Every structure is written in structure tokens, then in C-alpha cells.
């Protein structure tokens, strides 16, 4: 069990440190992610699921954009361009990577 508060206290967000892997089993891993001001992500080699903890903004999913907020689950297939845009300062999300 890992609580949000435990994950965030382990993260210690700084300019170069906005995510932390908390669990890995086989080809699946769980991270906590808290970008500062902008989201510099590039497409990943694995599928991803985001579960938004707090904050709101827009999510760019390929060529589409849509709003997100606390409790939302967002799936992104491997290799797809994506990022969080115009998000509030309290934005935090779980990230689950899986697949080959």
C-alpha cells in the first residue's frame, strides 16, 4: 500500500525531479507525477494510464484536447504524442505503465 501523501513526500519535486517510480512488477510500474509549470513528456514505449489525483487543465491526446480533473482516468497507447496543458499548480497524477 502506498498513500498519496507517502508518494508525494518521497517525490521531493524540483525542476529536474517531477516523477518517482514507486512500484515495479514484471513489465508494469507505478509512478507519481507532478510537473512544474509545463509537461515536457515525449511518447513512451509502453501503454499508460493516468489517474488524476488533484488539479485540472487540458490533456493533449494526439491531435485532440479535452479537459481533465480529479478522479479522471486517461489511457494513452504506446508511442502516442501526449501531455498535460494549462494545468493548475496543484496538479498531481498516478501513472501506470504496462505492456511491452
Amino acid at each position: 500500500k502506498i498513500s498519496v501523501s507517502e508518494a508525494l513526500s518521497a517525490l521531493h519535486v524540483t525542476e529536474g525531479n517531477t516523477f518517482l517510480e514507486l512500484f515495479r512488477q514484471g513489465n508494469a510500474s507505478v509512478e507519481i507525477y507532478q510537473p512544474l509549470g509545463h509537461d515536457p513528456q515525449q511518447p513512451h514505449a509502453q501503454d499508460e494510464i493516468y489517474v488524476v489525483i488533484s488539479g485540472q487543465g487540458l490533456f493533449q491526446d494526439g491531435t485532440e484536447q479535452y479537459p481533465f480533473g480529479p478522479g479522471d482516468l486517461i489511457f494513452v497507447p504506446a508511442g502516442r504524442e501526449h501531455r498535460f496543458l494549462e494545468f493548475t499548480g496543484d496538479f498531481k497524477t498516478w501513472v501506470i505503465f504496462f505492456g511491452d
Side-chain angles (χ1 to χ4, degrees), residues 21-53:
E21 183 178 271
L22 300 162
F23 174 83
R24 178 171 289 278
Q25 177 67 41
N27 65 1
S29 65
V30 176
E31 298 179 355
I32 191 143
Y33 182 49
Q34 184 179 5
L36 297 173
H38 73 285
D39 178 5
Q41 291 190 80
Q42 298 296 316
H44 304 284
Q46 290 182 288
D47 291 337
E48 298 177 75
I49 293 174
Y50 294 99
V51 181
V52 177
I53 297 167

